[in-house]
PDB file of all heavy atoms in Angstrom:
ATOM      1  N   MET A  82     183.183 -39.775  46.332  1.00 69.00           N
ATOM      2  CA  MET A  82     182.334 -39.246  47.418  1.00 69.00           C
ATOM      3  C   MET A  82     183.150 -39.201  48.711  1.00 69.00           C
ATOM      4  O   MET A  82     183.793 -40.184  49.058  1.00 69.00           O
ATOM      5  CB  MET A  82     181.116 -40.166  47.602  1.00 69.00           C
ATOM      6  CG  MET A  82     180.207 -39.719  48.702  1.00 69.00           C
ATOM      7  SD  MET A  82     178.505 -40.321  48.510  1.00 69.00           S
ATOM      8  CE  MET A  82     178.655 -42.049  48.863  1.00 69.00           C
ATOM      9  N   SER A 109     186.631 -37.201  62.229  1.00 97.00           N
ATOM     10  CA  SER A 109     186.790 -36.327  61.050  1.00 97.00           C
ATOM     11  C   SER A 109     185.444 -35.657  60.765  1.00 97.00           C
ATOM     12  O   SER A 109     184.400 -36.318  60.694  1.00 97.00           O
ATOM     13  CB  SER A 109     187.291 -37.117  59.851  1.00 97.00           C
ATOM     14  OG  SER A 109     186.410 -38.163  59.562  1.00 97.00           O
ATOM     15  N   ASP A 114     178.802 -25.476  54.021  1.00 98.00           N
ATOM     16  CA  ASP A 114     178.054 -24.226  54.168  1.00 98.00           C
ATOM     17  C   ASP A 114     177.787 -23.611  52.801  1.00 98.00           C
ATOM     18  O   ASP A 114     178.668 -23.544  51.942  1.00 98.00           O
ATOM     19  CB  ASP A 114     178.780 -23.218  55.064  1.00 98.00           C
ATOM     20  CG  ASP A 114     177.797 -22.191  55.629  1.00 98.00           C
ATOM     21  OD1 ASP A 114     177.313 -21.329  54.841  1.00 98.00           O
ATOM     22  OD2 ASP A 114     177.468 -22.276  56.822  1.00 98.00           O
ATOM     23  N   TRP A 143     161.786 -15.685  49.072  1.00 98.00           N
ATOM     24  CA  TRP A 143     160.863 -16.654  49.612  1.00 98.00           C
ATOM     25  C   TRP A 143     159.472 -16.134  49.223  1.00 98.00           C
ATOM     26  O   TRP A 143     159.336 -15.026  48.681  1.00 98.00           O
ATOM     27  CB  TRP A 143     161.003 -16.753  51.137  1.00 98.00           C
ATOM     28  CG  TRP A 143     162.332 -17.290  51.599  1.00 98.00           C
ATOM     29  CD1 TRP A 143     163.306 -17.865  50.825  1.00 98.00           C
ATOM     30  CD2 TRP A 143     162.840 -17.288  52.952  1.00 98.00           C
ATOM     31  NE1 TRP A 143     164.379 -18.215  51.622  1.00 98.00           N
ATOM     32  CE2 TRP A 143     164.128 -17.882  52.926  1.00 98.00           C
ATOM     33  CE3 TRP A 143     162.344 -16.849  54.186  1.00 98.00           C
ATOM     34  CZ2 TRP A 143     164.906 -18.046  54.071  1.00 98.00           C
ATOM     35  CZ3 TRP A 143     163.120 -17.021  55.329  1.00 98.00           C
ATOM     36  CH2 TRP A 143     164.389 -17.616  55.279  1.00 98.00           C
ATOM     37  N   PRO A 150     156.360 -12.842  46.284  1.00 97.00           N
ATOM     38  CA  PRO A 150     157.771 -13.007  46.652  1.00 97.00           C
ATOM     39  C   PRO A 150     158.232 -11.922  47.617  1.00 97.00           C
ATOM     40  O   PRO A 150     157.709 -10.807  47.599  1.00 97.00           O
ATOM     41  CB  PRO A 150     158.502 -12.853  45.315  1.00 97.00           C
ATOM     42  CG  PRO A 150     157.579 -12.042  44.462  1.00 97.00           C
ATOM     43  CD  PRO A 150     156.178 -12.307  44.934  1.00 97.00           C
ATOM     44  N   GLY A 160     179.411 -18.620  59.777  1.00 98.00           N
ATOM     45  CA  GLY A 160     178.896 -17.969  60.992  1.00 98.00           C
ATOM     46  C   GLY A 160     177.411 -17.644  60.897  1.00 98.00           C
ATOM     47  O   GLY A 160     176.777 -17.286  61.885  1.00 98.00           O
ATOM     48  N   TYR A 166     174.414 -10.233  63.811  1.00 98.00           N
ATOM     49  CA  TYR A 166     173.499 -10.115  64.937  1.00 98.00           C
ATOM     50  C   TYR A 166     173.845  -8.961  65.878  1.00 98.00           C
ATOM     51  O   TYR A 166     174.916  -8.358  65.791  1.00 98.00           O
ATOM     52  CB  TYR A 166     173.312 -11.443  65.659  1.00 98.00           C
ATOM     53  CG  TYR A 166     174.354 -12.014  66.581  1.00 98.00           C
ATOM     54  CD1 TYR A 166     174.025 -13.136  67.359  1.00 98.00           C
ATOM     55  CD2 TYR A 166     175.624 -11.497  66.711  1.00 98.00           C
ATOM     56  CE1 TYR A 166     174.937 -13.706  68.216  1.00 98.00           C
ATOM     57  CE2 TYR A 166     176.551 -12.079  67.582  1.00 98.00           C
ATOM     58  CZ  TYR A 166     176.186 -13.174  68.322  1.00 98.00           C
ATOM     59  OH  TYR A 166     177.073 -13.734  69.182  1.00 98.00           O
ATOM     60  N   GLU A 221     166.083 -12.525  86.130  1.00 97.00           N
ATOM     61  CA  GLU A 221     167.263 -13.330  85.815  1.00 97.00           C
ATOM     62  C   GLU A 221     167.189 -14.738  86.429  1.00 97.00           C
ATOM     63  O   GLU A 221     166.941 -14.885  87.629  1.00 97.00           O
ATOM     64  CB  GLU A 221     168.452 -12.612  86.410  1.00 97.00           C
ATOM     65  CG  GLU A 221     169.806 -13.136  86.056  1.00 97.00           C
ATOM     66  CD  GLU A 221     170.801 -12.143  86.613  1.00 97.00           C
ATOM     67  OE1 GLU A 221     171.071 -12.217  87.825  1.00 97.00           O
ATOM     68  OE2 GLU A 221     171.231 -11.278  85.863  1.00 97.00           O
ATOM     69  N   PRO A 222     167.430 -15.781  85.635  1.00 98.00           N
ATOM     70  CA  PRO A 222     167.459 -17.136  86.213  1.00 98.00           C
ATOM     71  C   PRO A 222     168.800 -17.388  86.916  1.00 98.00           C
ATOM     72  O   PRO A 222     169.752 -16.638  86.702  1.00 98.00           O
ATOM     73  CB  PRO A 222     167.310 -18.029  84.979  1.00 98.00           C
ATOM     74  CG  PRO A 222     167.892 -17.241  83.858  1.00 98.00           C
ATOM     75  CD  PRO A 222     167.673 -15.784  84.184  1.00 98.00           C
ATOM     76  N   PRO A 231     183.143  -7.329  82.325  1.00 98.00           N
ATOM     77  CA  PRO A 231     182.146  -6.332  82.741  1.00 98.00           C
ATOM     78  C   PRO A 231     181.280  -5.897  81.560  1.00 98.00           C
ATOM     79  O   PRO A 231     181.676  -6.079  80.406  1.00 98.00           O
ATOM     80  CB  PRO A 231     183.008  -5.160  83.242  1.00 98.00           C
ATOM     81  CG  PRO A 231     184.334  -5.339  82.597  1.00 98.00           C
ATOM     82  CD  PRO A 231     184.508  -6.813  82.337  1.00 98.00           C
ATOM     83  N   ALA A 240     173.316   6.597  79.307  1.00 98.00           N
ATOM     84  CA  ALA A 240     173.320   6.583  80.778  1.00 98.00           C
ATOM     85  C   ALA A 240     172.240   7.533  81.302  1.00 98.00           C
ATOM     86  O   ALA A 240     171.556   7.237  82.294  1.00 98.00           O
ATOM     87  CB  ALA A 240     174.694   7.004  81.292  1.00 98.00           C
ATOM     88  N   ALA A 343     171.119 -25.681  59.442  1.00 98.00           N
ATOM     89  CA  ALA A 343     171.063 -24.663  58.379  1.00 98.00           C
ATOM     90  C   ALA A 343     170.136 -23.514  58.731  1.00 98.00           C
ATOM     91  O   ALA A 343     169.852 -22.672  57.882  1.00 98.00           O
ATOM     92  CB  ALA A 343     170.630 -25.324  57.070  1.00 98.00           C
ATOM     93  N   ARG A 384     163.093  16.930  72.160  1.00 96.00           N
ATOM     94  CA  ARG A 384     164.002  17.871  71.495  1.00 96.00           C
ATOM     95  C   ARG A 384     165.058  18.420  72.435  1.00 96.00           C
ATOM     96  O   ARG A 384     166.082  18.927  72.000  1.00 96.00           O
ATOM     97  CB  ARG A 384     163.226  18.979  70.775  1.00 96.00           C
ATOM     98  CG  ARG A 384     162.460  19.906  71.645  1.00 96.00           C
ATOM     99  CD  ARG A 384     161.633  20.892  70.831  1.00 96.00           C
ATOM    100  NE  ARG A 384     160.648  21.541  71.680  1.00 96.00           N
ATOM    101  CZ  ARG A 384     160.928  22.459  72.567  1.00 96.00           C
ATOM    102  NH1 ARG A 384     162.163  22.886  72.724  1.00 96.00           N
ATOM    103  NH2 ARG A 384     159.979  22.975  73.344  1.00 96.00           N
ATOM    104  N   PHE A 401     158.236  -6.070  82.469  1.00 98.00           N
ATOM    105  CA  PHE A 401     156.936  -6.581  82.022  1.00 98.00           C
ATOM    106  C   PHE A 401     157.061  -7.991  81.434  1.00 98.00           C
ATOM    107  O   PHE A 401     156.213  -8.440  80.684  1.00 98.00           O
ATOM    108  CB  PHE A 401     156.329  -5.627  80.979  1.00 98.00           C
ATOM    109  CG  PHE A 401     156.329  -4.195  81.438  1.00 98.00           C
ATOM    110  CD1 PHE A 401     157.095  -3.241  80.774  1.00 98.00           C
ATOM    111  CD2 PHE A 401     155.597  -3.800  82.549  1.00 98.00           C
ATOM    112  CE1 PHE A 401     157.119  -1.921  81.212  1.00 98.00           C
ATOM    113  CE2 PHE A 401     155.619  -2.484  82.997  1.00 98.00           C
ATOM    114  CZ  PHE A 401     156.378  -1.545  82.325  1.00 98.00           C
ATOM    115  N   SER A 442     166.773  12.065  64.175  1.00 97.00           N
ATOM    116  CA  SER A 442     167.603  11.048  64.832  1.00 97.00           C
ATOM    117  C   SER A 442     168.496  11.638  65.932  1.00 97.00           C
ATOM    118  O   SER A 442     168.800  10.950  66.905  1.00 97.00           O
ATOM    119  CB  SER A 442     168.442  10.348  63.765  1.00 97.00           C
ATOM    120  OG  SER A 442     169.542   9.725  64.330  1.00 97.00           O
ATOM    121  N   ILE A 446     165.950   8.189  70.980  1.00 98.00           N
ATOM    122  CA  ILE A 446     166.613   6.970  71.452  1.00 98.00           C
ATOM    123  C   ILE A 446     165.756   5.819  70.951  1.00 98.00           C
ATOM    124  O   ILE A 446     164.527   5.937  70.873  1.00 98.00           O
ATOM    125  CB  ILE A 446     166.803   6.959  72.983  1.00 98.00           C
ATOM    126  CG1 ILE A 446     167.509   5.663  73.417  1.00 98.00           C
ATOM    127  CG2 ILE A 446     165.500   7.156  73.758  1.00 98.00           C
ATOM    128  CD1 ILE A 446     168.190   5.759  74.767  1.00 98.00           C
ATOM    129  N   THR A 452     157.962  -9.406  71.828  1.00 98.00           N
ATOM    130  CA  THR A 452     157.040 -10.281  72.553  1.00 98.00           C
ATOM    131  C   THR A 452     157.040 -11.676  71.945  1.00 98.00           C
ATOM    132  O   THR A 452     157.394 -11.869  70.786  1.00 98.00           O
ATOM    133  CB  THR A 452     155.601  -9.721  72.579  1.00 98.00           C
ATOM    134  OG1 THR A 452     155.215  -9.402  71.257  1.00 98.00           O
ATOM    135  CG2 THR A 452     155.501  -8.492  73.446  1.00 98.00           C
ATOM    136  N   GLU A 453     156.616 -12.608  72.758  1.00 98.00           N
ATOM    137  CA  GLU A 453     156.654 -14.025  72.369  1.00 98.00           C
ATOM    138  C   GLU A 453     155.664 -14.305  71.250  1.00 98.00           C
ATOM    139  O   GLU A 453     154.526 -13.834  71.265  1.00 98.00           O
ATOM    140  CB  GLU A 453     156.332 -14.896  73.596  1.00 98.00           C
ATOM    141  CG  GLU A 453     156.333 -16.378  73.287  1.00 98.00           C
ATOM    142  CD  GLU A 453     156.669 -17.252  74.495  1.00 98.00           C
ATOM    143  OE1 GLU A 453     156.844 -16.716  75.604  1.00 98.00           O
ATOM    144  OE2 GLU A 453     156.761 -18.479  74.312  1.00 98.00           O
ATOM    145  N   LEU A 484     152.399  -4.205  75.407  1.00 98.00           N
ATOM    146  CA  LEU A 484     153.767  -3.808  75.767  1.00 98.00           C
ATOM    147  C   LEU A 484     154.125  -2.471  75.107  1.00 98.00           C
ATOM    148  O   LEU A 484     154.757  -1.597  75.733  1.00 98.00           O
ATOM    149  CB  LEU A 484     154.769  -4.902  75.354  1.00 98.00           C
ATOM    150  CG  LEU A 484     156.223  -4.654  75.766  1.00 98.00           C
ATOM    151  CD1 LEU A 484     156.368  -4.406  77.268  1.00 98.00           C
ATOM    152  CD2 LEU A 484     157.118  -5.833  75.349  1.00 98.00           C
ATOM    153  N   PRO A 530     164.622 -35.050  72.936  1.00 98.00           N
ATOM    154  CA  PRO A 530     165.091 -33.869  73.681  1.00 98.00           C
ATOM    155  C   PRO A 530     166.572 -33.525  73.461  1.00 98.00           C
ATOM    156  O   PRO A 530     167.015 -32.435  73.808  1.00 98.00           O
ATOM    157  CB  PRO A 530     164.825 -34.244  75.144  1.00 98.00           C
ATOM    158  CG  PRO A 530     163.673 -35.204  75.069  1.00 98.00           C
ATOM    159  CD  PRO A 530     163.920 -36.007  73.828  1.00 98.00           C
ATOM    160  N   LEU A 563     172.010 -25.449  73.621  1.00 98.00           N
ATOM    161  CA  LEU A 563     171.446 -26.730  73.163  1.00 98.00           C
ATOM    162  C   LEU A 563     172.470 -27.499  72.331  1.00 98.00           C
ATOM    163  O   LEU A 563     172.586 -28.723  72.429  1.00 98.00           O
ATOM    164  CB  LEU A 563     170.174 -26.488  72.344  1.00 98.00           C
ATOM    165  CG  LEU A 563     168.930 -26.060  73.134  1.00 98.00           C
ATOM    166  CD1 LEU A 563     167.825 -25.586  72.182  1.00 98.00           C
ATOM    167  CD2 LEU A 563     168.399 -27.196  74.014  1.00 98.00           C
TER     168      LEU A 563
END
Side-chain angles (χ1 to χ4, degrees):
M82 179 156 71
S109 58
D114 202 289
W143 295 349
Y166 76 171
E221 189 172 80
R384 66 185 165 74
F401 310 115
S442 160
I446 180 159
T452 51
E453 179 153 3
L484 184 55
L563 287 169

